[in-house]
Amino acid sequence: MAAGNARIVRYIVFAAFFLGVLYLISNNQGYRLQSDLYNVGKTQPVTNPPEKEQPIINGGGGSTWSETLDKSGGTGSGDGVKSDGNGVGKSGSTVPGSSTSNSESDSMKGSTRPPPGTPKQQTDLGEAAMALTPNDHGWNDMLGTAPGPRMNATFVTLARNSDVWDIARSIRQVEDRFNRRYNYDWVFLNDKPFDDTFKKVTTSLVSGKTHYGEIPHEHWSFPEHIDQDKAKKVREDMAQRKIIYGDSISYRHMCRFESGFFFRQELMMNYEWYWRVEPSIELFCDVHYDPFRYMAEHKKKYSFVLSLYEYVETIPTLWDSVKKFMKNYPEHIADGNSMGFLSDDGGETYNKCHFWSNFEVGNLEWLRSQPYIDFFESLDQDGGFFYERWGDAPVHSIAAGLLLKKEEIHFFNDIAYYHVPFTHCPTGEQTRIDLRCHCNPKENFDWKGYSCTSRYFDINKLDKPQGHIEEE
Ligand SMILES: Nc1nc2c(ncn2[C@@H]2O[C@H](COP(=O)(O)OP(=O)(O)OP(=O)(O)O)[C@@H](O)[C@H]2O)c(=O)[nH]1
Ligand SMILES: [Mg+2]
């Protein structure tokens, strides 16, 4: 009897030990899945992933902070969902809230608004088509990681350490309206080393990887051929005439850098597409699809949301330089270009129209191509970045207008945007409702007298969005 009791006790002890081991194994597995999930969004983009982290030119301050900050509690980016190592959410079990609700999203057809908490669901994430309109499947799937492939793309911001809180606001909006579902990387560039606060705050807000680069001196200084005395006199004269930023040296370095160097910083060489974001901008509507993928699939190279006339005092001889370039490099001028956007007399004079470059989604390989580099270097030799105050907006716009076919320039009506003092609020009430916009349509600049956007529509023979007549 005693022997029988001892055997039962042994069985119980053995069973308890076995259950304990089982419990430990299953807990461990759960932990591993969880950490996979939260690390995966910080990997490189799907297409042409860079082999390794690249330091900036001259071995300056390029660094990657995502790995050094513990982000495994979520990033504060909406639902905190990350994508897998391929940049897309895994179908099935690892993306929270993406269990099985195909029928649910089907049943939402016709409505533009999913109930709060509706889980996103896609079975074939890698191949999923983009929903471009409310009638397309998946339009309402605004929770969780977005389906579909990722482009080799990054956000890019030039900023000073003192811009940290203004860029934080911009990032928050870009993440909430778009990137929390896509987890694209973000490259920050500065002529000085970024400080820890800047890195900590921005890394905590971006759902993709963050990279920080210090701009090499030769990209942020006077080229040798510039006559310093002449440049100084220009600044003094512009200060007297109260031309905005007319007396600023750093603003001129900024404009020259954005015109000719940002796209060839070592960190940017890892990418094919960029979306430029400045401090204190606003995004007023949800971005329902991937603008990078839209650009790639529709063969676009450059895009804009706002256009206007440049302040002539800052570019008196810019067009002379452009004409010199056209004469010297006729082979770079595209057939079917947008000269009609830039000039009212077939190229004799510049009408000052330009795309506002504080917002840009564009192709980096185009900017790194020989035609663009020849264009920039030709302008740079003429010295107008310092002898006048040429902005990167007219420089990029004239390049896009002359070196690209006109179909390669895209207007994003559905990306609602503000940079002081102008607003692009999508035309058409239904569009604004579908996109859940919070901008005041009365502030939309597109059809006002000082905008060049009508001209863009005219030369491309495009129909203006419904509702534009009421806004004009
Ligand atoms: N690192 C660095 N960034 C700068 C400097 N000056 C401007 N920037 C950045 O360059 C971009 C354009 O500068 P802004 O001052 O916004 O110029 P702007 O848009 O023409 O003028 P605002 O109306 O003042 O916005 C922004 O992203 C700035 O943060 C500078 O001296 N150093
Ligand atoms: Mg700005």
Side-chain angles (χ1 to χ4, degrees), residues 278-279 358 419:
E278 282 204 2
N358 48 64
H419 176 295

Side-chain angles (χ1 to χ4, degrees), residues 66-83:
S66 307
E67 285 117 19
T68 57
L69 281 188
D70 175 19
K71 306 192 70 162
S72 63
T75 60
S77 57
D79 52 21
V81 172
K82 303 291 187 219
S83 59

Side-chain angles (χ1 to χ4, degrees), residues 9-287:
V9 168
R10 263 205 309 277
Y11 284 152
I12 290 170
V13 168
F14 183 73
F17 176 73
F18 184 67
L19 284 173
V21 169
L22 264 183
Y23 173 77
L24 280 176
I25 289 171
S26 65
N27 249 14
N28 251 346
Q29 231 162 27
Y31 175 75
R32 193 160 50 74
L33 280 178
Q34 194 70 1
S35 62
D36 281 349
L37 177 65
Y38 285 114
N39 285 327
V40 288
K42 313 305 287 182
T43 57
Q44 298 296 336
V46 178
T47 44
N48 306 328
E51 303 253 300
K52 60 181 169 62
E53 297 303 333
Q54 305 251 10
I56 66 143
I57 294 171
N58 287 352
S63 59
T64 298
W65 261 61
S66 307
E67 285 117 19
T68 57
L69 281 188
D70 175 19
K71 306 192 70 162
S72 63
T75 60
S77 57
D79 52 21
V81 172
K82 303 291 187 219
S83 59
D84 70 13
N86 289 328
V88 293
K90 287 178 178 144
S91 64
S93 60
T94 56
V95 177
S98 79
S99 50
T100 49
S101 63
N102 246 344
S103 55
E104 238 174 77
S105 56
D106 281 341
S107 72
M108 289 300 298
K109 271 197 179 135
S111 158
T112 56
R113 185 176 292 269
T118 302
K120 183 192 66 54
Q121 199 266 337
Q122 274 287 345
T123 45
D124 191 0
L125 296 175
E127 296 304 317
M130 272 196 299
L132 294 174
T133 75
N135 299 324
D136 297 336
H137 180 79
W139 173 264
N140 287 318
D141 293 344
M142 291 299 280
L143 297 175
T145 302
R150 296 294 183 268
M151 301 298 102
N152 186 12
T154 185
F155 290 92
V156 60
T157 293
L158 172 69
R160 295 154 288 215
N161 287 310
S162 57
D163 291 319
V164 60
W165 300 112
D166 292 332
I167 195 60
R169 279 174 45 206
S170 301
I171 297 171
R172 182 73 267 163
Q173 301 211 21
V174 171
E175 287 289 334
D176 289 348
R177 290 299 199 168
F178 170 70
N179 202 41
R180 67 182 172 81
R181 300 174 55 234
Y182 289 86
N183 314 132
Y184 279 111
D185 294 358
W186 206 304
V187 171
F188 296 91
L189 301 170
N190 190 352
D191 57 307
K192 308 236 162 48
F194 280 111
D195 63 29
D196 282 359
T197 303
F198 190 99
K199 292 183 192 174
K200 261 192 275 186
V201 170
T202 51
T203 291
S204 77
L205 293 169
V206 174
S207 62
K209 261 191 176 178
T210 48
H211 303 275
Y212 300 86
E214 189 180 335
I215 297 161
H217 179 71
E218 62 268 28
H219 295 169
W220 195 280
S221 51
F222 291 94
E224 268 180 16
H225 65 271
I226 293 298
D227 174 342
Q228 291 290 339
D229 288 341
K230 184 173 165 187
K232 187 160 174 257
K233 286 202 183 83
V234 168
R235 292 195 300 275
E236 287 164 359
D237 173 58
M238 284 198 177
Q240 281 199 337
R241 291 193 286 142
K242 300 209 174 350
I243 292 171
I244 186 167
Y245 298 118
D247 60 345
S248 170
I249 295 178
S250 66
Y251 193 85
R252 285 181 170 80
H253 289 318
M254 181 276 285
C255 290
R256 179 169 176 263
F257 174 79
E258 293 287 25
S259 298
F261 300 107
F262 86 89
F263 48 85
R264 31 184 174 159
Q265 298 301 292
E266 199 67 33
L267 287 171
M268 296 301 287
M269 299 303 282
N270 294 329
Y271 301 97
E272 188 185 350
W273 300 95
Y274 73 102
W275 178 335
R276 174 168 163 184
V277 177
E278 282 204 2
S280 298
I281 60 106
E282 294 196 52
L283 285 192
F284 298 111
C285 308
D286 283 344
V287 181

Side-chain angles (χ1 to χ4, degrees), residues 314-454:
T314 65
I315 52 157
T317 69
L318 174 59
W319 195 251
D320 293 337
S321 277
V322 171
K323 285 207 284 193
K324 191 160 101 187
F325 165 80
M326 287 194 282
K327 195 159 161 266
N328 290 341
Y329 295 95
E331 70 276 20
H332 289 340
I333 308 302
D335 290 336
N337 59 43
S338 305
M339 181 61 97
F341 179 78
L342 302 170
S343 174
D344 301 342
D345 51 19
E348 192 47 39
T349 58
Y350 178 36
N351 61 21
K352 322 290 183 304
C353 276
H354 64 285
F355 308 118
W356 221 21
S357 61
N358 48 64
F359 169 98
E360 286 174 331
V361 179
N363 184 278
L364 292 161
E365 275 158 18
W366 168 57
L367 293 173
R368 293 190 284 249
S369 71
Q370 205 56 50
Y372 186 86
I373 297 292
D374 286 341
F375 177 75
F376 169 72
E377 283 176 0
S378 175
L379 263 47
D380 197 33
Q381 276 306 314
D382 290 342
F385 290 107
F386 300 102
Y387 300 145
E388 296 178 1
R389 208 220 63 195
W390 294 352
D392 53 284
V395 171
H396 286 186
S397 305
I398 292 170
L402 299 180
L403 309 179
L404 298 177
K405 291 180 184 307
K406 59 180 186 302
E407 304 74 34
E408 292 176 312
I409 303 175
H410 182 63
F411 169 62
F412 277 112
N413 184 44
D414 37 12
I415 300 184
Y417 178 80
Y418 172 80
H419 176 295
V420 65
F422 298 118
T423 297
H424 164 66
C425 185
T427 302
E429 186 181 34
Q430 191 54 49
T431 302
R432 291 190 297 272
I433 303 253
D434 290 340
L435 299 173
R436 294 177 239 220
C437 304
H438 70 276
C439 50
N440 179 347
K442 289 204 180 99
E443 283 161 19
N444 183 27
F445 184 65
D446 296 353
W447 318 115
K448 302 217 159 95
Y450 210 62
S451 166
C452 294
T453 299
S454 270

